[in-house]
Structure formats: structure tokens, C-alpha cells
């Protein structure tokens, strides 16, 4: 079972989430990376380390935002798709097993 955590600024700390019976994983994201930029490996790793230090696993990333140029098929989309794919690969290399994608 997982629980959503909005990072260090979340009013619910990881220590409190860890106390919920059955919760072993965290759903989170990098909220300050500009849409379209690849998520830096060190930032995903730092988030993962923070979650692990609380005795939990970073189980789900929700979500890596999709740039509007991809959705609209604009000329810059291919480079943005490459950035998105890089973020997904990095997430996988670090062992985060799930990417929840919300197309809105």
C-alpha cells in the first residue's frame, strides 16, 4: 500500500506516514523541475534516499509532466519526447517501478 507525499513541504511528514498500518511505499514527484526538462538523476536519487531513510520505498512517480508541445504535436515535440524518455529511463535505473501518467 502506498501514500501520496508532496515532498519536504508536505504538512504530513514521512515519519507520520510510516506509522499508518500497511503503508510501505510512497507516491511522489519532483515538483519544481520545469515541464519538458529531463529529471536530474541526483534529484530522483535524493528523493528516493529521503523516503528510504524514513523506512519506506519510493514506489510510484506521479507524474512526469508532459509538455504541451508533445500533446499538440508541435515541431519541438521530438526533443521533448527524448527528455521525457530520459526521465523514465533514469527512474527505472534507480529502481522506481511505477510511473503514473495523468493525461489532462
Amino acid at each position: 500500500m502506498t501514500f501520496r507525499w508532496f515532498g519536504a513541504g508536505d504538512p504530513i511528514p514521512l515519519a507520520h506516514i510510516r506509522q499508518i498500518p500497511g503503508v510501505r511505499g510512497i507516491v511522489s514527484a519532483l515538483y519544481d523541475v520545469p515541464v519538458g526538462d529531463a529529471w536530474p538523476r541526483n534529484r530522483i536519487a535524493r528523493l528516493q534516499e529521503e523516503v528510504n531513510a524514513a523506512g519506506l520505498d519510493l514506489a510510484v512517480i506521479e507524474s512526469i509532466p508532459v509538455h504541451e508541445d508533445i500533446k499538440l504535436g508541435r515541431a519541438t515535440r521530438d526533443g521533448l519526447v527524448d527528455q521525457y524518455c530520459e526521465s523514465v529511463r533514469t527512474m527505472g535505473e534507480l529502481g522506481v517501478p511505477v510511473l503514473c501518467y495523468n493525461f489532462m
Side-chain angles (χ1 to χ4, degrees):
M1 188 166 21
T2 62
F3 195 91
R4 178 75 153 156
W5 183 62
F6 291 94
D10 193 318
I12 309 299
L14 288 169
H16 291 183
I17 295 170
R18 180 65 184 94
Q19 295 176 34
I20 302 169
V23 172
R24 298 291 175 257
I26 291 294
V27 178
S28 197
L30 299 179
Y31 301 100
D32 61 339
V33 176
V35 176
D37 286 3
W39 284 18
R41 180 183 195 84
N42 66 331
R43 294 284 314 284
I44 300 171
R46 191 173 341 143
L47 174 62
Q48 188 175 43
E49 289 165 5
E50 187 173 5
V51 169
N52 291 346
L56 298 160
D57 292 316
L58 182 58
V60 180
I61 293 292
E62 184 186 22
S63 79
I64 300 170
V66 177
H67 197 281
E68 288 299 309
D69 287 1
I70 295 172
K71 296 175 193 177
L72 298 172
R74 292 185 176 145
T76 58
R77 73 178 181 265
D78 291 345
L80 292 163
V81 168
D82 290 342
Q83 295 286 73
Y84 191 91
C85 290
E86 181 181 335
S87 299
V88 173
R89 273 192 299 277
T90 301
M91 191 186 99
E93 290 166 0
L94 290 171
V96 181
V98 177
L99 171 61
C100 177
Y101 172 69
N102 295 311
F103 191 93
M104 295 183 223

